PDB file of all heavy atoms in Angstrom:
ATOM      1  N   HIS O  40     -22.457 -15.568   0.972  1.00  0.00           N
ATOM      2  CA  HIS O  40     -21.749 -16.224  -0.099  1.00  0.00           C
ATOM      3  C   HIS O  40     -20.667 -15.300  -0.660  1.00  0.00           C
ATOM      4  O   HIS O  40     -19.548 -15.709  -0.952  1.00  0.00           O
ATOM      5  CB  HIS O  40     -22.720 -16.669  -1.200  1.00  0.00           C
ATOM      6  CG  HIS O  40     -22.041 -17.261  -2.417  1.00  0.00           C
ATOM      7  ND1 HIS O  40     -21.504 -18.546  -2.444  1.00  0.00           N
ATOM      8  CD2 HIS O  40     -21.813 -16.717  -3.623  1.00  0.00           C
ATOM      9  CE1 HIS O  40     -20.985 -18.750  -3.602  1.00  0.00           C
ATOM     10  NE2 HIS O  40     -21.150 -17.678  -4.376  1.00  0.00           N
ATOM     11  N   GLN O  43     -17.832 -14.967   1.701  1.00  0.00           N
ATOM     12  CA  GLN O  43     -16.981 -16.137   1.704  1.00  0.00           C
ATOM     13  C   GLN O  43     -16.044 -16.102   0.561  1.00  0.00           C
ATOM     14  O   GLN O  43     -14.840 -16.499   0.722  1.00  0.00           O
ATOM     15  CB  GLN O  43     -17.854 -17.358   1.720  1.00  0.00           C
ATOM     16  CG  GLN O  43     -17.049 -18.689   1.816  1.00  0.00           C
ATOM     17  CD  GLN O  43     -16.250 -18.744   3.090  1.00  0.00           C
ATOM     18  OE1 GLN O  43     -16.797 -18.736   4.183  1.00  0.00           O
ATOM     19  NE2 GLN O  43     -14.922 -18.843   3.001  1.00  0.00           N
ATOM     20  N   ILE O  56     -14.280  -9.219   7.528  1.00  0.00           N
ATOM     21  CA  ILE O  56     -14.900  -8.651   6.372  1.00  0.00           C
ATOM     22  C   ILE O  56     -16.158  -7.914   6.740  1.00  0.00           C
ATOM     23  O   ILE O  56     -16.449  -6.826   6.194  1.00  0.00           O
ATOM     24  CB  ILE O  56     -15.204  -9.729   5.329  1.00  0.00           C
ATOM     25  CG1 ILE O  56     -13.868 -10.241   4.726  1.00  0.00           C
ATOM     26  CG2 ILE O  56     -16.085  -9.158   4.162  1.00  0.00           C
ATOM     27  CD1 ILE O  56     -14.026 -11.420   3.774  1.00  0.00           C
ATOM     28  N   SER O  67     -18.315   5.818   3.005  1.00  0.00           N
ATOM     29  CA  SER O  67     -19.023   6.134   1.747  1.00  0.00           C
ATOM     30  C   SER O  67     -20.416   6.700   1.975  1.00  0.00           C
ATOM     31  O   SER O  67     -21.085   6.997   1.010  1.00  0.00           O
ATOM     32  CB  SER O  67     -19.142   4.885   0.904  1.00  0.00           C
ATOM     33  OG  SER O  67     -20.000   3.960   1.498  1.00  0.00           O
ATOM     34  N   LYS O  68     -20.814   6.843   3.220  1.00  0.00           N
ATOM     35  CA  LYS O  68     -22.149   7.352   3.611  1.00  0.00           C
ATOM     36  C   LYS O  68     -23.204   6.458   2.947  1.00  0.00           C
ATOM     37  O   LYS O  68     -24.170   6.942   2.401  1.00  0.00           O
ATOM     38  CB  LYS O  68     -22.307   8.774   3.179  1.00  0.00           C
ATOM     39  CG  LYS O  68     -21.293   9.718   3.793  1.00  0.00           C
ATOM     40  CD  LYS O  68     -21.436  11.134   3.296  1.00  0.00           C
ATOM     41  CE  LYS O  68     -20.357  12.096   3.877  1.00  0.00           C
ATOM     42  NZ  LYS O  68     -18.995  11.657   3.528  1.00  0.00           N
ATOM     43  N   PRO O  88       2.418  12.486   6.836  1.00  0.00           N
ATOM     44  CA  PRO O  88       3.199  12.989   5.674  1.00  0.00           C
ATOM     45  C   PRO O  88       3.014  12.170   4.442  1.00  0.00           C
ATOM     46  O   PRO O  88       3.309  12.640   3.326  1.00  0.00           O
ATOM     47  CB  PRO O  88       4.680  12.878   6.154  1.00  0.00           C
ATOM     48  CG  PRO O  88       4.605  11.860   7.285  1.00  0.00           C
ATOM     49  CD  PRO O  88       3.298  12.039   7.928  1.00  0.00           C
ATOM     50  N   ASN O  95      -3.997   7.744  -2.667  1.00  0.00           N
ATOM     51  CA  ASN O  95      -3.870   7.293  -4.060  1.00  0.00           C
ATOM     52  C   ASN O  95      -3.736   5.821  -4.180  1.00  0.00           C
ATOM     53  O   ASN O  95      -4.161   5.235  -5.229  1.00  0.00           O
ATOM     54  CB  ASN O  95      -2.673   8.010  -4.679  1.00  0.00           C
ATOM     55  CG  ASN O  95      -2.861   9.497  -4.939  1.00  0.00           C
ATOM     56  OD1 ASN O  95      -4.029   9.944  -5.074  1.00  0.00           O
ATOM     57  ND2 ASN O  95      -1.803  10.263  -4.995  1.00  0.00           N
ATOM     58  N   GLN O 112     -11.505   6.239 -10.525  1.00  0.00           N
ATOM     59  CA  GLN O 112     -12.026   7.417  -9.819  1.00  0.00           C
ATOM     60  C   GLN O 112     -12.710   7.003  -8.524  1.00  0.00           C
ATOM     61  O   GLN O 112     -12.667   7.768  -7.511  1.00  0.00           O
ATOM     62  CB  GLN O 112     -12.978   8.157 -10.686  1.00  0.00           C
ATOM     63  CG  GLN O 112     -12.360   8.738 -11.954  1.00  0.00           C
ATOM     64  CD  GLN O 112     -11.224   9.702 -11.581  1.00  0.00           C
ATOM     65  OE1 GLN O 112     -11.429  10.629 -10.752  1.00  0.00           O
ATOM     66  NE2 GLN O 112     -10.081   9.502 -12.195  1.00  0.00           N
ATOM     67  N   PHE O 116     -16.660  -2.008  -2.562  1.00  0.00           N
ATOM     68  CA  PHE O 116     -16.141  -2.644  -1.395  1.00  0.00           C
ATOM     69  C   PHE O 116     -15.116  -3.727  -1.699  1.00  0.00           C
ATOM     70  O   PHE O 116     -14.126  -3.897  -0.951  1.00  0.00           O
ATOM     71  CB  PHE O 116     -17.268  -3.293  -0.612  1.00  0.00           C
ATOM     72  CG  PHE O 116     -16.864  -4.050   0.623  1.00  0.00           C
ATOM     73  CD1 PHE O 116     -16.229  -3.434   1.626  1.00  0.00           C
ATOM     74  CD2 PHE O 116     -17.102  -5.465   0.695  1.00  0.00           C
ATOM     75  CE1 PHE O 116     -15.786  -4.102   2.789  1.00  0.00           C
ATOM     76  CE2 PHE O 116     -16.685  -6.124   1.853  1.00  0.00           C
ATOM     77  CZ  PHE O 116     -16.013  -5.472   2.860  1.00  0.00           C
ATOM     78  N   TYR O 166      11.858   9.799  -6.015  1.00  0.00           N
ATOM     79  CA  TYR O 166      12.464   9.594  -4.676  1.00  0.00           C
ATOM     80  C   TYR O 166      12.680  10.930  -3.990  1.00  0.00           C
ATOM     81  O   TYR O 166      12.350  11.060  -2.783  1.00  0.00           O
ATOM     82  CB  TYR O 166      13.774   8.808  -4.833  1.00  0.00           C
ATOM     83  CG  TYR O 166      14.359   8.333  -3.545  1.00  0.00           C
ATOM     84  CD1 TYR O 166      13.856   7.236  -2.848  1.00  0.00           C
ATOM     85  CD2 TYR O 166      15.421   9.053  -2.938  1.00  0.00           C
ATOM     86  CE1 TYR O 166      14.392   6.761  -1.648  1.00  0.00           C
ATOM     87  CE2 TYR O 166      15.965   8.598  -1.716  1.00  0.00           C
ATOM     88  CZ  TYR O 166      15.432   7.482  -1.092  1.00  0.00           C
ATOM     89  OH  TYR O 166      15.965   7.105   0.089  1.00  0.00           O
ATOM     90  N   LEU O 173       8.296  14.244   2.957  1.00  0.00           N
ATOM     91  CA  LEU O 173       8.386  13.739   4.301  1.00  0.00           C
ATOM     92  C   LEU O 173       9.165  14.665   5.257  1.00  0.00           C
ATOM     93  O   LEU O 173       8.715  15.000   6.304  1.00  0.00           O
ATOM     94  CB  LEU O 173       9.150  12.390   4.317  1.00  0.00           C
ATOM     95  CG  LEU O 173       8.333  11.171   3.886  1.00  0.00           C
ATOM     96  CD1 LEU O 173       9.233   9.965   3.743  1.00  0.00           C
ATOM     97  CD2 LEU O 173       7.319  10.832   4.971  1.00  0.00           C
ATOM     98  N   LEU O 174      10.293  15.183   4.768  1.00  0.00           N
ATOM     99  CA  LEU O 174      11.099  16.052   5.604  1.00  0.00           C
ATOM    100  C   LEU O 174      10.581  17.480   5.762  1.00  0.00           C
ATOM    101  O   LEU O 174      10.625  18.031   6.821  1.00  0.00           O
ATOM    102  CB  LEU O 174      12.540  16.100   5.084  1.00  0.00           C
ATOM    103  CG  LEU O 174      13.324  14.781   5.064  1.00  0.00           C
ATOM    104  CD1 LEU O 174      14.673  14.936   4.438  1.00  0.00           C
ATOM    105  CD2 LEU O 174      13.396  14.197   6.453  1.00  0.00           C
ATOM    106  N   SER O 175      10.045  18.046   4.685  1.00  0.00           N
ATOM    107  CA  SER O 175       9.537  19.412   4.790  1.00  0.00           C
ATOM    108  C   SER O 175       8.303  19.493   5.654  1.00  0.00           C
ATOM    109  O   SER O 175       8.081  20.486   6.370  1.00  0.00           O
ATOM    110  CB  SER O 175       9.221  19.926   3.345  1.00  0.00           C
ATOM    111  OG  SER O 175       8.207  19.141   2.766  1.00  0.00           O
ATOM    112  N   ALA O 187      18.833  18.043  -0.873  1.00  0.00           N
ATOM    113  CA  ALA O 187      20.213  17.597  -0.806  1.00  0.00           C
ATOM    114  C   ALA O 187      20.245  16.213  -0.090  1.00  0.00           C
ATOM    115  O   ALA O 187      20.997  15.315  -0.481  1.00  0.00           O
ATOM    116  CB  ALA O 187      21.073  18.545   0.038  1.00  0.00           C
ATOM    117  N   ILE O 188      19.413  16.048   0.943  1.00  0.00           N
ATOM    118  CA  ILE O 188      19.340  14.759   1.635  1.00  0.00           C
ATOM    119  C   ILE O 188      18.854  13.681   0.736  1.00  0.00           C
ATOM    120  O   ILE O 188      19.339  12.557   0.713  1.00  0.00           O
ATOM    121  CB  ILE O 188      18.478  14.870   2.902  1.00  0.00           C
ATOM    122  CG1 ILE O 188      19.122  15.769   3.958  1.00  0.00           C
ATOM    123  CG2 ILE O 188      18.152  13.504   3.494  1.00  0.00           C
ATOM    124  CD1 ILE O 188      18.282  16.109   5.156  1.00  0.00           C
ATOM    125  N   THR O 199      24.649   0.854  -3.347  1.00  0.00           N
ATOM    126  CA  THR O 199      24.259  -0.433  -2.738  1.00  0.00           C
ATOM    127  C   THR O 199      23.820  -1.429  -3.841  1.00  0.00           C
ATOM    128  O   THR O 199      24.144  -2.627  -3.768  1.00  0.00           O
ATOM    129  CB  THR O 199      23.078  -0.268  -1.756  1.00  0.00           C
ATOM    130  OG1 THR O 199      23.504   0.606  -0.728  1.00  0.00           O
ATOM    131  CG2 THR O 199      22.576  -1.579  -1.188  1.00  0.00           C
ATOM    132  N   GLU O 205      30.709   6.279 -11.438  1.00  0.00           N
ATOM    133  CA  GLU O 205      31.531   7.371 -11.872  1.00  0.00           C
ATOM    134  C   GLU O 205      30.769   8.669 -11.705  1.00  0.00           C
ATOM    135  O   GLU O 205      29.506   8.675 -11.752  1.00  0.00           O
ATOM    136  CB  GLU O 205      31.948   7.215 -13.343  1.00  0.00           C
ATOM    137  CG  GLU O 205      32.822   5.990 -13.578  1.00  0.00           C
ATOM    138  CD  GLU O 205      34.144   6.038 -12.775  1.00  0.00           C
ATOM    139  OE1 GLU O 205      34.652   7.077 -12.591  1.00  0.00           O
ATOM    140  OE2 GLU O 205      34.515   4.948 -12.244  1.00  0.00           O
ATOM    141  N   ASN O 217      15.813  -4.077  -6.968  1.00  0.00           N
ATOM    142  CA  ASN O 217      16.683  -3.223  -6.148  1.00  0.00           C
ATOM    143  C   ASN O 217      16.014  -2.960  -4.824  1.00  0.00           C
ATOM    144  O   ASN O 217      16.648  -2.975  -3.738  1.00  0.00           O
ATOM    145  CB  ASN O 217      16.938  -1.888  -6.853  1.00  0.00           C
ATOM    146  CG  ASN O 217      17.739  -2.028  -8.130  1.00  0.00           C
ATOM    147  OD1 ASN O 217      17.598  -1.162  -9.006  1.00  0.00           O
ATOM    148  ND2 ASN O 217      18.518  -3.037  -8.278  1.00  0.00           N
ATOM    149  N   MET O 231       3.482  -2.352   8.454  1.00  0.00           N
ATOM    150  CA  MET O 231       2.410  -2.084   7.582  1.00  0.00           C
ATOM    151  C   MET O 231       1.055  -2.364   8.329  1.00  0.00           C
ATOM    152  O   MET O 231       0.491  -3.435   8.302  1.00  0.00           O
ATOM    153  CB  MET O 231       2.434  -2.950   6.318  1.00  0.00           C
ATOM    154  CG  MET O 231       3.386  -2.432   5.276  1.00  0.00           C
ATOM    155  SD  MET O 231       3.239  -3.214   3.665  1.00  0.00           S
ATOM    156  CE  MET O 231       1.623  -2.693   3.131  1.00  0.00           C
TER     157      MET O 231
END
Side-chain angles (χ1 to χ4, degrees):
H40 175 74
Q43 184 59 60
I56 291 176
S67 67
K68 302 177 182 61
N95 289 336
Q112 295 303 309
F116 178 61
Y166 188 77
L173 280 170
L174 296 179
S175 62
I188 292 174
T199 299
E205 297 301 321
N217 295 154
M231 280 190 69

